[in-house]
Amino acid sequence: MDWLVNLFTSTDSVAHIVLLYSIVISVGVFLGKVKIGGISLGVTFVLFAGILAGHIHFTAPIDILNFVQDFGLILFVFCIGLQVGPGFFESFRKGGITLNLLSTTAILLNIAVMFACYFLFFDTSNPFNLPMMVGTLYGAVTNTPGLGAANEALQSVFTSGEIPQIASGYACAYPLGVVGIIGATIAVRYICRVNLEEEEKKLEAEEAKNPHEKPYQMHLKVSNKYICGHTLMQISEFLHRDIVCTRLLHDGRILIPNRDTVFDLDDEVLVVCAEADAEAIQAFIGPLIDHHWDIEDTKQPMVSKRIVVTNPKMNGKTLGKMHFSSVYGVNVTRITRQGIDLFASRNHHFHVGDRIMVVGPEDNVNRVADLMGNSVKRLDAPNIATIFIGIVVGILFGSLPIAIPGMPVPLKLGLAGGPLIIAILIGRFGYRMKLVTYTTTSANMMLREIGLVLFLASVGIKAGAGFWDTVISGDGIKYVYTGFLITIIPILIVGTIARLRYKFDYFTIMGMLAGTYTDPPALAYANATCSREAPAIGYSTVYPLSMFLRIFTAQIIVLFCCGVM
């Protein structure tokens, strides 16, 4: 039995280290699925399993723990950056600016409440108390990447001696943080006297009044004599709106129109446009037709086919410059990305993974399919080269020293901030450098979760050795109630302002608050409360900037505030 004892006690062996991580992660993941009051802690329970392992001295060499922790953090934040990158800059469009300003205010209030609690309840002469409050802050807002960024920045400040194990403060504040976010959101509802049924009715009326920019199909009869004799391209320019004419009935024959097709009086056209533009286009071209002709009833060999963009050469090319109608004799009528239907605008940039609906003669459609790739198997494998190229650039960028007056050490974005920013930029602009950034949602989630559990397990194992003295015999209770204050006070303030001052609907506020705290359980609760997409829209609008600010402010707090102590 000596071999079994050595396997669990010989910390230098590879088998022991693999066994350690496997046990900690598997136990943490399984326990994280247990729901109490309908709420679970998810993979964050890996941190608690790691703390227990470290406490009973089931550990590994510190160099190994540091490497796995940092590598897991890099992988985690980089995959987050790739996910939020495509929508990062678009989130500042109309309506998004106000939501992001409210979200930023909540983040700054979290930090302000943390400092208030630090000066009110803790001994400011102890150099370890402020770093521990930073850990409490990120447990209170349930933001693990921020914990990683702060933990990594501490290594630049505490270059000699013991480094504060801020994961202890994080672990104390996290459980009540998850509950507090949902509880404070419910409190906003009662403070503002929100009636959920009335909110649903208002959302329905607003959606009917302002339809989304999604594809809208209609049959029209050309009755405007002023457009007769003009080409489809000229008519589109007259309208100043994106319009796709998929079929045209002329002299009893059904045609696939291209940019040079001339319209005649009494022609019948099948038009696809943005829903908000439908009324204007109908008024310009002619009335709706009650009797719809069907392309399937003709002998024309034309088909509609959904094609997947898998050819890397198509990445970043615009629909307007592909000349599908004039060169290939086909029209693109629908584009779907990440399950969302988009209107086929001429300015649309193709990304690998887009699914497009192409209408035209079968041979022509097949040629377009060959051009675009249409090989679903190519999407099954993530683009590993792009990921690691981005990590290399991110580490170099994060290692650049930035001298700021008043700071004892130069500011570095570090292993969290550098890869995050580069991943956001690659996710948004990578196609310009011929980088294919597409990964399936499942592949991205798998890489993220692996990075996250490796990071949490490492942090927990290192923090476990001193967890009892720090928390149970120390200031553990203070971390719990100060963390709860950090969680709820900003939500009550910002949620009330968003409702009473800016008149946002309550469901959008719920999503915005969940996104500000980057908290999926809060979003799940919001989605269960509302039958519409308002919570998801609020969440996705503020999530990219919130995640960036959580990571960036973690390093600023540690480097500036902890460094001057």
Side-chain angles (χ1 to χ4, degrees):
M1 294 295 292
D2 290 343
W3 65 271
L4 185 59
V5 174
N6 290 333
L7 187 60
F8 280 88
T9 57
S10 180
T11 60
D12 293 331
S13 71
V14 173
H16 170 85
I17 296 169
V18 173
L19 186 68
L20 168 64
Y21 276 96
S22 298
I23 292 175
V24 168
I25 291 172
S26 58
V27 170
V29 169
F30 279 118
L31 290 178
K33 293 181 179 180
V34 177
K35 292 186 177 182
I36 300 176
I39 300 174
S40 66
L41 297 184
V43 295
T44 306
F45 219 106
V46 172
L47 174 68
F48 296 94
I51 289 174
L52 178 61
H55 181 67
I56 62 175
H57 304 293
F58 184 29
T59 185
I62 191 66
D63 291 340
I64 299 295
L65 293 175
N66 287 336
F67 167 74
V68 176
Q69 170 187 311
D70 291 342
F71 179 73
L73 176 63
I74 292 170
L75 193 61
F76 178 48
V77 298
F78 190 84
C79 288
I80 286 178
L82 283 182
Q83 180 199 28
V84 305
F88 185 79
F89 299 98
E90 283 76 5
S91 66
F92 298 103
R93 290 179 177 175
K94 182 180 178 181
I97 295 178
T98 304
L99 283 176
N100 275 289
L101 286 175
L102 289 168
S103 177
T104 302
T105 301
I107 292 171
L108 295 178
L109 283 174
N110 288 133
I111 297 172
V113 175
M114 180 208 73
F115 277 109
C117 291
Y118 167 66
F119 287 110
L120 287 173
F121 302 117
F122 290 87
D123 179 10
T124 57
S125 63
N126 186 338
F128 275 32
N129 279 340
L130 182 55
M132 292 300 294
M133 280 303 297
V134 174
T136 304
L137 165 65
Y138 284 94
V141 300
T142 67
N143 187 266
T144 307
L147 170 68
N151 202 58
E152 197 253 332
L154 281 173
Q155 299 178 22
S156 301
V157 176
F158 292 83
T159 55
S160 59
E162 184 182 358
I163 298 177
Q165 297 299 323
I166 63 175
S168 299
Y170 178 94
C172 289
Y174 189 93
L176 274 185
V178 175
V179 176
I181 294 170
I182 297 175
T185 303
I186 296 173
V188 170
R189 169 180 151 195
Y190 288 100
I191 291 172
C192 300
R193 299 179 180 179
V194 174
N195 185 303
L196 297 183
E197 292 184 1
E198 291 182 1
E199 290 294 291
E200 288 264 12
K201 292 178 180 178
K202 288 180 181 179
L203 276 180
E204 184 177 358
E206 189 67 22
E207 289 179 4
K209 181 180 177 181
N210 298 303
H212 296 295
E213 296 295 315
K214 57 184 180 182
Y216 183 81
Q217 180 175 287
M218 55 186 174
H219 291 76
L220 303 176
K221 186 172 184 176
V222 179
S223 62
N224 184 356
K225 63 180 181 180
Y226 295 104
I227 68 174
C228 296
H230 289 88
T231 65
L232 176 59
M233 182 177 181
Q234 290 172 328
I235 294 171
S236 180
E237 290 174 351
F238 290 155
L239 282 165
H240 291 292
R241 287 172 169 85
D242 289 313
I243 177 175
V244 175
C245 184
T246 61
R247 302 177 185 91
L248 183 143
L249 180 63
H250 177 75
D251 289 339
R253 293 187 303 115
I254 296 178
L255 308 173
I256 298 294
N258 57 41
R259 58 189 296 175
D260 299 319
T261 299
V262 177
F263 279 37
D264 285 333
L265 202 62
D266 295 329
D267 282 352
E268 297 179 8
V269 293
L270 180 60
V271 170
V272 178
C273 63
E275 191 172 2
D277 295 334
E279 185 176 350
I281 292 171
Q282 178 187 338
F284 187 75
I285 295 177
L288 288 168
I289 301 173
D290 293 332
H291 174 67
H292 295 173
W293 36 266
D294 191 347
I295 188 66
E296 300 298 333
D297 295 335
T298 72
K299 297 181 180 179
Q300 296 289 331
M302 291 186 287
V303 297
S304 297
K305 185 175 183 179
R306 188 172 293 277
I307 294 171
V308 184
V309 181
T310 59
N311 182 358
K313 294 181 180 179
M314 295 297 107
N315 218 27
K317 290 193 175 183
T318 59
L319 176 59
K321 293 182 179 180
M322 294 298 295
H323 305 297
F324 284 118
S325 61
S326 58
V327 176
Y328 294 94
V330 301
N331 283 322
V332 176
T333 61
R334 295 285 193 283
I335 299 173
T336 304
R337 177 179 295 167
Q338 298 292 331
I340 301 173
D341 281 341
L342 307 173
F343 176 62
S345 165
R346 289 178 55 83
N347 297 320
H348 173 83
H349 286 275
F350 286 116
H351 285 191
V352 171
D354 286 354
R355 297 177 183 272
I356 62 176
M357 179 65 75
V358 179
V359 178
E362 186 172 8
D363 290 343
N364 294 10
V365 171
N366 289 337
R367 282 196 293 269
V368 172
D370 292 337
L371 175 70
M372 306 304 286
N374 202 35
S375 176
V376 179
K377 289 183 178 180
R378 291 187 183 181
L379 300 182
D380 292 338
N383 296 281
I384 298 296
T386 297
I387 292 173
F388 282 96
I389 289 172
I391 289 176
V392 169
V393 178
I395 291 175
L396 294 175
F397 182 67
S399 301
L400 289 174
I402 304 172
I404 298 178
M407 293 188 66
V409 293
L411 171 66
K412 294 182 181 179
L413 295 175
L415 299 179
L420 176 70
I421 293 176
I422 295 301
I424 290 174
L425 294 176
I426 288 178
R428 177 62 180 85
F429 303 107
Y431 67 87
R432 296 184 180 180
M433 297 172 283
K434 307 301 180 183
L435 292 176
V436 178
T437 60
Y438 176 83
T439 56
T440 61
T441 303
S442 58
N444 185 287
M445 287 297 297
M446 176 63 78
L447 292 173
R448 280 173 55 183
E449 293 296 288
I450 289 175
L452 177 59
V453 295
L454 289 177
F455 167 76
L456 289 174
S458 302
V459 170
I461 293 168
K462 290 198 298 182
F467 186 78
W468 182 271
D469 294 333
T470 303
V471 176
I472 307 302
S473 303
D475 294 324
I477 299 299
K478 286 185 179 180
Y479 298 145
V480 172
Y481 66 73
T482 56
F484 190 66
L485 294 175
I486 293 170
T487 300
I488 64 171
I489 291 177
I491 292 179
L492 296 177
I493 294 174
V494 171
T496 304
I497 292 174
R499 177 65 178 181
L500 300 181
R501 172 67 177 83
Y502 293 101
K503 309 301 181 183
F504 280 105
D505 67 88
Y506 176 68
F507 300 120
T508 298
I509 294 172
M510 293 179 76
M512 180 269 292
L513 293 173
T516 300
Y517 283 68
T518 63
D519 188 56
L523 176 62
Y525 172 77
N527 285 332
T529 306
C530 178
S531 63
R532 300 189 176 275
E533 297 179 354
I537 292 173
Y539 185 91
S540 61
T541 299
V542 303
Y543 179 87
L545 181 63
S546 298
M547 181 63 77
F548 171 76
L549 289 178
R550 291 293 186 193
I551 294 174
F552 185 71
T553 54
Q555 296 179 304
I556 294 295
I557 296 170
V558 170
L559 293 176
F560 186 75
C561 299
C562 298
V564 298
M565 295 179 58

